[in-house]
Amino acid sequence: MPDRTTQDNNRTLISINDLRTYFHLAEGTVRAVDGVNLEIKRGHTLGIVGESGCGKSMTAHSLMRLVPDPGRIESGEILYYKARREEEGYAVDDVIDLTTLKANSPEMRDIRGNEISMVFQEPMTAMSPVRTVGKQITEAITLHRDVSKSEAREIAIDMLANVKLPNPSKTIDDYPFQLSGGMRQRAVIAMALSCHPSLLIADEPTTALDVTTEAQILDLMRDLQDDLGMTIMYITHDLGVIAEMAEEVAVMYLGKIVEQADVNTIFFQPLHPYTRGLLRSIPKLEDAIRRDRERQKLETIRGMVPDPYSVLPGCPFHPRCPEFMPGLCDQVVPRVLEPEPGHTVRCHLYDDTQERP
Protein backbone atom coordinates (compact mmCIF):
# COMPACT_ATOMS: atom_id res chain seq x y z
CA MET A 1 0.00 0.00 0.00
CA PRO A 2 1.43 3.43 -0.89
CA ASP A 3 2.43 5.92 1.79
CA ARG A 4 -0.40 8.44 1.84
CA THR A 5 1.71 11.26 3.30
CA THR A 6 4.88 11.40 1.16
CA GLN A 7 5.66 14.15 -1.33
CA ASP A 8 5.58 11.55 -4.15
CA ASN A 9 1.81 11.41 -3.69
CA ASN A 10 1.66 14.98 -5.05
CA ARG A 11 2.30 13.39 -8.47
CA THR A 12 -0.24 10.60 -7.93
CA LEU A 13 -3.87 11.19 -8.83
CA ILE A 14 -5.28 7.67 -8.53
CA SER A 15 -3.74 4.62 -6.87
CA ILE A 16 -5.49 1.27 -7.45
CA ASN A 17 -4.37 -1.52 -5.13
CA ASP A 18 -5.31 -5.19 -5.56
CA LEU A 19 -8.71 -4.33 -7.04
CA ARG A 20 -11.09 -7.27 -7.58
CA THR A 21 -14.48 -6.86 -9.25
CA TYR A 22 -16.53 -10.06 -9.61
CA PHE A 23 -19.89 -10.98 -11.12
CA HIS A 24 -21.64 -13.81 -9.28
CA LEU A 25 -23.97 -15.48 -11.79
CA ALA A 26 -25.90 -18.75 -11.88
CA GLU A 27 -23.36 -20.11 -14.39
CA GLY A 28 -20.41 -19.22 -12.15
CA THR A 29 -18.27 -16.30 -11.05
CA VAL A 30 -16.78 -13.93 -13.60
CA ARG A 31 -13.57 -12.37 -12.29
CA ALA A 32 -13.72 -9.30 -14.51
CA VAL A 33 -11.01 -7.47 -12.55
CA ASP A 34 -8.73 -9.80 -10.63
CA GLY A 35 -6.03 -8.12 -8.57
CA VAL A 36 -5.26 -4.96 -10.56
CA ASN A 37 -2.61 -2.52 -9.33
CA LEU A 38 -2.26 0.83 -11.11
CA GLU A 39 -0.91 4.29 -10.40
CA ILE A 40 -2.22 7.16 -12.51
CA LYS A 41 0.00 10.26 -12.44
CA ARG A 42 -1.24 13.83 -12.74
CA GLY A 43 -1.09 15.32 -16.21
CA HIS A 44 -0.09 12.03 -17.84
CA THR A 45 -1.89 9.67 -20.22
CA LEU A 46 -2.11 6.03 -19.18
CA GLY A 47 -3.09 3.60 -21.93
CA ILE A 48 -4.78 0.30 -21.11
CA VAL A 49 -4.75 -2.31 -23.88
CA GLY A 50 -5.83 -5.91 -24.36
CA GLU A 51 -8.30 -8.05 -26.24
CA SER A 52 -12.05 -7.75 -25.70
CA GLY A 53 -13.10 -9.32 -22.41
CA CYS A 54 -9.81 -8.69 -20.61
CA GLY A 55 -11.26 -6.30 -18.01
CA LYS A 56 -10.25 -2.91 -19.40
CA SER A 57 -13.69 -1.28 -19.33
CA MET A 58 -14.69 -2.92 -16.05
CA THR A 59 -11.57 -1.45 -14.40
CA ALA A 60 -12.80 1.99 -15.50
CA HIS A 61 -16.37 1.28 -14.37
CA SER A 62 -15.03 0.17 -10.98
CA LEU A 63 -13.12 3.43 -10.68
CA MET A 64 -16.29 5.38 -11.51
CA ARG A 65 -18.35 3.14 -9.18
CA LEU A 66 -20.61 2.23 -12.13
CA VAL A 67 -20.34 -1.56 -11.89
CA PRO A 68 -23.72 -2.97 -13.02
CA ASP A 69 -25.58 -5.60 -11.02
CA PRO A 70 -24.88 -8.36 -10.15
CA GLY A 71 -21.26 -7.22 -10.17
CA ARG A 72 -19.55 -5.78 -7.13
CA ILE A 73 -16.13 -4.75 -5.91
CA GLU A 74 -14.99 -7.64 -3.73
CA SER A 75 -11.81 -6.14 -2.33
CA GLY A 76 -9.02 -3.65 -2.94
CA GLU A 77 -8.58 0.12 -2.82
CA ILE A 78 -9.10 2.97 -5.25
CA LEU A 79 -7.34 5.92 -3.63
CA TYR A 80 -8.16 9.35 -5.05
CA TYR A 81 -5.63 12.02 -4.09
CA LYS A 82 -7.68 15.18 -4.03
CA ALA A 83 -5.36 18.16 -4.41
CA ARG A 84 -5.24 21.84 -5.23
CA ARG A 85 -2.84 23.42 -7.68
CA GLU A 86 -0.07 25.61 -6.26
CA GLU A 87 2.85 27.50 -7.81
CA GLU A 88 5.30 24.64 -7.22
CA GLY A 89 2.92 21.78 -8.05
CA TYR A 90 0.05 20.23 -6.12
CA ALA A 91 -0.83 20.04 -2.43
CA VAL A 92 -2.86 17.00 -1.44
CA ASP A 93 -5.82 17.99 0.73
CA ASP A 94 -7.45 14.58 1.16
CA VAL A 95 -7.11 10.92 0.20
CA ILE A 96 -10.45 9.24 -0.53
CA ASP A 97 -10.87 5.49 -0.93
CA LEU A 98 -13.61 5.36 -3.56
CA THR A 99 -14.44 1.72 -2.70
CA THR A 100 -15.71 2.85 0.70
CA LEU A 101 -18.28 5.20 -0.87
CA LYS A 102 -21.67 3.91 -1.94
CA ALA A 103 -22.18 4.15 -5.69
CA ASN A 104 -25.12 6.58 -5.39
CA SER A 105 -23.96 8.45 -2.30
CA PRO A 106 -23.78 12.27 -2.44
CA GLU A 107 -20.00 12.05 -1.98
CA MET A 108 -19.53 9.75 -4.99
CA ARG A 109 -22.00 11.67 -7.14
CA ASP A 110 -20.05 14.83 -6.38
CA ILE A 111 -16.84 13.19 -7.64
CA ARG A 112 -18.34 11.35 -10.63
CA GLY A 113 -18.75 13.67 -13.61
CA ASN A 114 -17.11 16.51 -11.72
CA GLU A 115 -13.60 15.48 -10.69
CA ILE A 116 -13.53 12.14 -12.56
CA SER A 117 -15.38 11.97 -15.85
CA MET A 118 -15.77 9.40 -18.63
CA VAL A 119 -16.21 9.33 -22.40
CA PHE A 120 -18.05 6.15 -23.32
CA GLN A 121 -17.44 3.98 -26.34
CA GLU A 122 -20.72 4.65 -28.18
CA PRO A 123 -21.92 8.28 -28.05
CA MET A 124 -25.44 7.41 -29.22
CA THR A 125 -26.00 5.35 -26.06
CA ALA A 126 -24.11 7.80 -23.83
CA MET A 127 -26.59 10.61 -24.62
CA SER A 128 -30.36 10.58 -24.39
CA PRO A 129 -31.95 10.76 -27.87
CA VAL A 130 -35.00 12.69 -26.59
CA ARG A 131 -33.15 15.60 -24.97
CA THR A 132 -31.08 18.24 -26.72
CA VAL A 133 -27.33 18.27 -26.46
CA GLY A 134 -27.48 21.53 -24.53
CA LYS A 135 -29.91 20.26 -21.89
CA GLN A 136 -27.67 17.26 -21.18
CA ILE A 137 -24.48 19.32 -20.88
CA THR A 138 -26.07 22.09 -18.79
CA GLU A 139 -27.56 19.48 -16.44
CA ALA A 140 -24.04 18.27 -15.61
CA ILE A 141 -22.82 21.83 -15.12
CA THR A 142 -25.67 22.95 -12.82
CA LEU A 143 -25.36 19.72 -10.81
CA HIS A 144 -21.72 20.33 -9.92
CA ARG A 145 -21.21 24.09 -10.22
CA ASP A 146 -22.94 27.00 -8.52
CA VAL A 147 -24.16 28.78 -11.65
CA SER A 148 -27.50 29.87 -13.07
CA LYS A 149 -29.12 28.17 -16.06
CA SER A 150 -28.15 31.01 -18.38
CA GLU A 151 -24.53 30.86 -17.16
CA ALA A 152 -24.54 27.08 -17.59
CA ARG A 153 -25.74 27.51 -21.17
CA GLU A 154 -22.90 29.94 -21.92
CA ILE A 155 -20.38 27.50 -20.41
CA ALA A 156 -21.86 24.71 -22.54
CA ILE A 157 -21.57 26.79 -25.71
CA ASP A 158 -17.93 27.57 -24.83
CA MET A 159 -17.20 23.86 -24.33
CA LEU A 160 -18.82 22.97 -27.66
CA ALA A 161 -16.62 25.62 -29.26
CA ASN A 162 -13.56 24.19 -27.48
CA VAL A 163 -14.21 20.75 -28.98
CA LYS A 164 -14.49 22.47 -32.39
CA LEU A 165 -18.15 21.79 -33.11
CA PRO A 166 -19.35 24.11 -35.90
CA ASN A 167 -21.82 26.83 -34.96
CA PRO A 168 -22.03 25.85 -31.24
CA SER A 169 -24.78 28.39 -30.42
CA LYS A 170 -27.04 26.46 -32.82
CA THR A 171 -25.71 22.95 -32.20
CA ILE A 172 -26.51 23.26 -28.48
CA ASP A 173 -30.23 23.03 -29.35
CA ASP A 174 -29.84 20.01 -31.64
CA TYR A 175 -30.72 16.44 -30.64
CA PRO A 176 -27.97 13.77 -30.73
CA PHE A 177 -29.57 11.98 -33.71
CA GLN A 178 -29.21 15.19 -35.74
CA LEU A 179 -25.41 15.06 -35.44
CA SER A 180 -22.92 12.92 -37.30
CA GLY A 181 -20.90 10.28 -35.44
CA GLY A 182 -17.86 12.53 -35.07
CA MET A 183 -19.98 15.48 -33.93
CA ARG A 184 -21.77 13.29 -31.35
CA GLN A 185 -18.43 12.14 -29.98
CA ARG A 186 -17.27 15.74 -29.70
CA ALA A 187 -20.49 16.59 -27.84
CA VAL A 188 -19.89 13.69 -25.40
CA ILE A 189 -16.33 14.94 -24.81
CA ALA A 190 -17.69 18.45 -24.20
CA MET A 191 -20.13 17.07 -21.62
CA ALA A 192 -17.36 15.07 -19.91
CA LEU A 193 -15.08 18.13 -19.74
CA SER A 194 -17.75 20.68 -18.79
CA CYS A 195 -16.69 20.65 -15.12
CA HIS A 196 -12.93 20.52 -15.85
CA PRO A 197 -12.26 17.07 -14.31
CA SER A 198 -8.89 16.03 -12.94
CA LEU A 199 -9.20 12.64 -14.67
CA LEU A 200 -10.84 11.84 -18.01
CA ILE A 201 -11.47 8.16 -18.70
CA ALA A 202 -11.78 7.56 -22.45
CA ASP A 203 -13.22 4.10 -23.15
CA GLU A 204 -12.50 3.42 -26.82
CA PRO A 205 -13.92 6.80 -27.85
CA THR A 206 -12.96 6.47 -31.53
CA THR A 207 -13.96 2.86 -32.25
CA ALA A 208 -17.00 3.67 -34.41
CA LEU A 209 -15.36 6.57 -36.27
CA ASP A 210 -13.56 6.67 -39.61
CA VAL A 211 -9.79 7.17 -39.55
CA THR A 212 -9.92 10.86 -40.48
CA THR A 213 -12.42 11.69 -37.75
CA GLU A 214 -10.47 9.48 -35.33
CA ALA A 215 -7.30 11.49 -35.97
CA GLN A 216 -9.21 14.72 -35.34
CA ILE A 217 -10.64 13.43 -32.04
CA LEU A 218 -7.19 12.30 -30.85
CA ASP A 219 -5.68 15.69 -31.72
CA LEU A 220 -8.56 17.36 -29.90
CA MET A 221 -8.04 15.31 -26.74
CA ARG A 222 -4.32 16.10 -26.68
CA ASP A 223 -4.98 19.82 -27.13
CA LEU A 224 -7.61 19.84 -24.37
CA GLN A 225 -5.29 17.93 -22.05
CA ASP A 226 -2.61 20.59 -22.53
CA ASP A 227 -5.11 23.43 -22.05
CA LEU A 228 -6.85 22.00 -18.97
CA GLY A 229 -3.91 20.14 -17.40
CA MET A 230 -5.96 16.97 -16.93
CA THR A 231 -5.00 13.31 -16.72
CA ILE A 232 -6.28 10.79 -19.28
CA MET A 233 -6.86 7.08 -18.85
CA TYR A 234 -7.22 5.82 -22.43
CA ILE A 235 -8.74 2.36 -22.98
CA THR A 236 -8.42 0.71 -26.38
CA HIS A 237 -7.43 -2.43 -28.27
CA ASP A 238 -5.71 -0.31 -30.94
CA LEU A 239 -1.98 -0.20 -30.25
CA GLY A 240 -1.52 2.43 -32.96
CA VAL A 241 -3.66 4.84 -30.95
CA ILE A 242 -1.72 3.97 -27.78
CA ALA A 243 1.57 4.78 -29.52
CA GLU A 244 0.19 8.21 -30.40
CA MET A 245 -1.60 9.05 -27.13
CA ALA A 246 -0.05 7.33 -24.11
CA GLU A 247 3.07 7.93 -22.03
CA GLU A 248 2.66 4.75 -19.98
CA VAL A 249 0.95 1.50 -20.98
CA ALA A 250 -0.66 -1.32 -18.98
CA VAL A 251 -1.41 -4.57 -20.84
CA MET A 252 -4.37 -6.54 -19.44
CA TYR A 253 -5.31 -10.19 -19.86
CA LEU A 254 -8.18 -11.95 -18.07
CA GLY A 255 -8.61 -9.25 -15.44
CA LYS A 256 -4.89 -8.96 -14.61
CA ILE A 257 -2.16 -6.56 -15.67
CA VAL A 258 0.50 -8.76 -17.27
CA GLU A 259 2.95 -6.00 -18.24
CA GLN A 260 3.38 -2.29 -17.57
CA ALA A 261 6.02 0.22 -18.66
CA ASP A 262 6.48 3.48 -20.54
CA VAL A 263 5.21 3.46 -24.12
CA ASN A 264 8.65 3.23 -25.78
CA THR A 265 9.64 0.24 -23.66
CA ILE A 266 6.37 -1.58 -24.41
CA PHE A 267 6.80 -1.10 -28.16
CA PHE A 268 10.56 -1.71 -28.49
CA GLN A 269 11.39 -3.99 -25.53
CA PRO A 270 8.22 -5.98 -24.71
CA LEU A 271 8.75 -8.89 -22.32
CA HIS A 272 5.47 -10.76 -21.92
CA PRO A 273 4.60 -13.21 -24.73
CA TYR A 274 1.08 -11.74 -24.84
CA THR A 275 2.41 -8.20 -25.39
CA ARG A 276 4.77 -9.46 -28.10
CA GLY A 277 1.85 -11.29 -29.74
CA LEU A 278 -0.27 -8.12 -29.77
CA LEU A 279 2.56 -6.16 -31.36
CA ARG A 280 3.22 -8.83 -34.01
CA SER A 281 -0.44 -8.71 -35.03
CA ILE A 282 -0.24 -5.02 -36.01
CA PRO A 283 -0.36 -4.80 -39.83
CA LYS A 284 2.76 -3.20 -41.37
CA LEU A 285 2.96 -2.12 -45.00
CA GLU A 286 6.28 -3.82 -45.78
CA ASP A 287 5.11 -7.04 -44.12
CA ALA A 288 1.79 -6.89 -45.99
CA ILE A 289 3.63 -6.69 -49.33
CA ARG A 290 5.85 -9.63 -48.37
CA ARG A 291 2.91 -11.73 -47.13
CA ASP A 292 0.95 -11.02 -50.29
CA ARG A 293 3.92 -12.08 -52.40
CA GLU A 294 4.49 -15.24 -50.35
CA ARG A 295 0.77 -15.94 -49.80
CA GLN A 296 1.17 -15.70 -46.01
CA LYS A 297 -1.51 -14.72 -43.49
CA LEU A 298 -1.32 -11.95 -40.89
CA GLU A 299 0.23 -13.14 -37.62
CA THR A 300 -2.27 -13.73 -34.84
CA ILE A 301 -2.29 -14.98 -31.26
CA ARG A 302 -3.43 -18.59 -31.40
CA GLY A 303 -6.59 -19.64 -29.62
CA MET A 304 -9.21 -17.47 -27.94
CA VAL A 305 -9.62 -15.68 -24.63
CA PRO A 306 -10.79 -18.45 -22.23
CA ASP A 307 -14.35 -18.78 -20.96
CA PRO A 308 -14.88 -16.01 -18.36
CA TYR A 309 -16.30 -18.51 -15.86
CA SER A 310 -13.20 -20.72 -15.88
CA VAL A 311 -10.29 -20.32 -13.48
CA LEU A 312 -7.15 -21.62 -15.13
CA PRO A 313 -4.36 -23.03 -12.94
CA GLY A 314 -1.02 -21.27 -13.17
CA CYS A 315 -0.62 -18.49 -15.69
CA PRO A 316 -3.95 -17.62 -17.39
CA PHE A 317 -2.17 -17.13 -20.73
CA HIS A 318 -0.48 -20.56 -20.77
CA PRO A 319 -2.93 -22.30 -23.20
CA ARG A 320 -2.04 -19.72 -25.88
CA CYS A 321 1.58 -19.00 -24.97
CA PRO A 322 4.35 -19.87 -27.47
CA GLU A 323 6.84 -19.94 -24.54
CA PHE A 324 4.72 -22.39 -22.50
CA MET A 325 6.73 -24.48 -19.99
CA PRO A 326 4.80 -27.63 -18.93
CA GLY A 327 4.76 -28.28 -15.21
CA LEU A 328 5.41 -24.63 -14.39
CA CYS A 329 3.18 -22.30 -16.42
CA ASP A 330 0.15 -24.57 -15.99
CA GLN A 331 0.64 -25.08 -12.24
CA VAL A 332 2.28 -22.05 -10.61
CA VAL A 333 0.77 -18.55 -10.63
CA PRO A 334 3.44 -16.11 -11.87
CA ARG A 335 4.60 -13.30 -9.61
CA VAL A 336 4.78 -9.64 -10.58
CA LEU A 337 8.45 -8.99 -11.35
CA GLU A 338 10.43 -5.85 -12.15
CA PRO A 339 13.31 -6.87 -14.47
CA GLU A 340 14.12 -3.20 -15.06
CA PRO A 341 13.17 -0.08 -13.08
CA GLY A 342 9.67 1.01 -14.02
CA HIS A 343 9.01 -2.12 -16.11
CA THR A 344 6.86 -4.80 -14.48
CA VAL A 345 5.84 -8.15 -15.96
CA ARG A 346 3.88 -11.15 -14.71
CA CYS A 347 5.69 -14.10 -16.34
CA HIS A 348 7.78 -17.12 -15.30
CA LEU A 349 10.33 -16.43 -18.06
CA TYR A 350 11.90 -13.71 -15.90
CA ASP A 351 11.63 -15.40 -12.48
CA ASP A 352 15.04 -16.78 -11.56
CA THR A 353 13.66 -18.28 -8.34
CA GLN A 354 11.58 -20.83 -10.27
CA GLU A 355 13.13 -24.10 -11.40
CA ARG A 356 12.61 -24.75 -15.10
CA PRO A 357 11.10 -28.20 -15.81
Side-chain angles (χ1 to χ4, degrees):
M1 184 184 302
D3 182 354
R4 305 186 185 193
T5 60
T6 63
Q7 285 297 112
D8 288 342
N9 287 338
N10 293 355
R11 297 174 58 246
T12 301
L13 178 65
I14 298 287
S15 180
I16 301 176
N17 305 304
D18 197 29
L19 179 65
R20 299 174 190 273
T21 301
Y22 293 172
F23 288 77
H24 299 280
L25 307 172
E27 299 87 347
T29 299
V30 176
R31 293 165 172 79
V33 181
D34 197 16
V36 163
N37 293 280
L38 275 177
E39 184 176 290
I40 305 175
K41 298 182 178 66
R42 297 183 190 279
H44 286 223
T45 299
L46 170 68
I48 300 184
V49 298
E51 294 170 284
S52 296
C54 287
K56 307 184 299 297
S57 295
M58 198 48 60
T59 299
H61 289 158
S62 299
L63 200 160
M64 292 284 288
R65 297 306 313 276
L66 291 175
V67 178
D69 290 333
R72 67 170 182 261
I73 296 176
E74 296 284 334
S75 62
E77 290 182 322
I78 304 173
L79 302 179
Y80 168 46
Y81 291 84
K82 191 171 183 176
R84 65 183 184 279
R85 187 189 288 271
E86 295 185 339
E87 290 185 3
E88 298 181 357
Y90 291 88
V92 176
D93 293 323
D94 196 9
V95 182
I96 304 170
D97 184 357
L98 300 184
T99 63
T100 64
L101 303 180
K102 292 185 177 180
N104 291 319
S105 65
E107 296 84 2
M108 191 63 225
R109 289 170 65 90
D110 185 54
I111 293 172
R112 187 193 302 124
N114 183 25
E115 299 172 46
I116 302 174
S117 196
M118 188 166 181
V119 177
F120 293 91
Q121 182 172 350
E122 176 48 61
M124 200 60 188
T125 59
M127 302 190 82
S128 170
V130 296
R131 303 181 68 209
T132 64
V133 170
K135 284 186 180 296
Q136 297 181 66
I137 297 177
T138 55
E139 180 182 36
I141 295 171
T142 54
L143 180 65
H144 296 295
R145 300 172 66 173
D146 185 18
V147 296
S148 66
K149 289 185 178 181
S150 59
E151 290 172 327
R153 181 180 172 87
E154 290 302 315
I155 293 171
I157 291 174
D158 287 342
M159 284 308 307
L160 291 175
N162 287 342
V163 298
K164 298 179 173 58
L165 266 175
N167 199 359
S169 58
K170 175 185 177 300
T171 304
I172 194 171
D173 294 317
D174 288 340
Y175 289 88
F177 62 81
Q178 295 177 285
L179 307 180
S180 67
M183 293 174 71
R184 277 197 299 269
Q185 194 61 282
R186 290 172 188 268
V188 170
I189 293 173
M191 183 165 62
L193 299 181
S194 59
C195 294
H196 295 181
S198 300
L199 173 64
L200 176 68
I201 302 172
D203 188 1
E204 302 199 32
T206 60
T207 297
L209 305 179
D210 62 78
V211 291
T212 303
T213 306
E214 177 184 56
Q216 294 171 352
I217 293 295
L218 295 179
D219 289 341
L220 170 66
M221 293 182 68
R222 279 198 301 269
D223 292 343
L224 291 172
Q225 182 179 27
D226 293 338
D227 293 343
L228 302 177
M230 66 182 176
T231 302
I232 296 178
M233 178 179 174
Y234 199 101
I235 298 169
T236 183
H237 57 265
D238 189 337
L239 284 164
V241 172
I242 287 296
E244 188 174 348
M245 287 292 295
E247 295 158 283
E248 190 168 359
V249 184
V251 182
M252 288 193 72
Y253 187 76
L254 279 188
K256 301 179 184 294
I257 292 177
V258 296
E259 187 167 3
Q260 184 173 358
D262 65 85
V263 64
N264 289 329
T265 300
I266 288 291
F267 274 83
F268 297 108
Q269 296 177 329
L271 296 180
H272 200 283
Y274 180 60
T275 308
R276 295 201 293 261
L278 290 175
L279 290 168
R280 282 196 302 268
S281 66
I282 299 175
K284 300 180 180 65
L285 181 59
E286 60 273 19
D287 292 342
I289 296 173
R290 175 182 56 79
R291 280 193 300 270
D292 183 63
R293 185 169 55 246
E294 299 175 2
R295 302 295 182 184
Q296 293 180 347
K297 294 182 178 180
L298 182 69
E299 289 192 50
T300 60
I301 301 174
R302 68 177 184 180
M304 300 286 291
V305 177
D307 186 291
Y309 303 109
S310 61
V311 180
L312 298 177
C315 174
F317 187 60
H318 81 258
R320 310 174 67 191
C321 183
E323 308 282 349
F324 170 60
M325 293 178 284
L328 179 61
C329 294
D330 55 350
Q331 294 183 16
V332 181
V333 177
R335 299 184 299 131
V336 177
L337 307 168
E338 192 172 13
E340 299 174 356
H343 190 176
T344 60
V345 64
R346 190 189 293 263
C347 183
H348 289 304
L349 290 172
Y350 310 97
D351 193 347
D352 296 332
T353 65
Q354 294 286 355
E355 293 185 6
R356 301 292 192 272

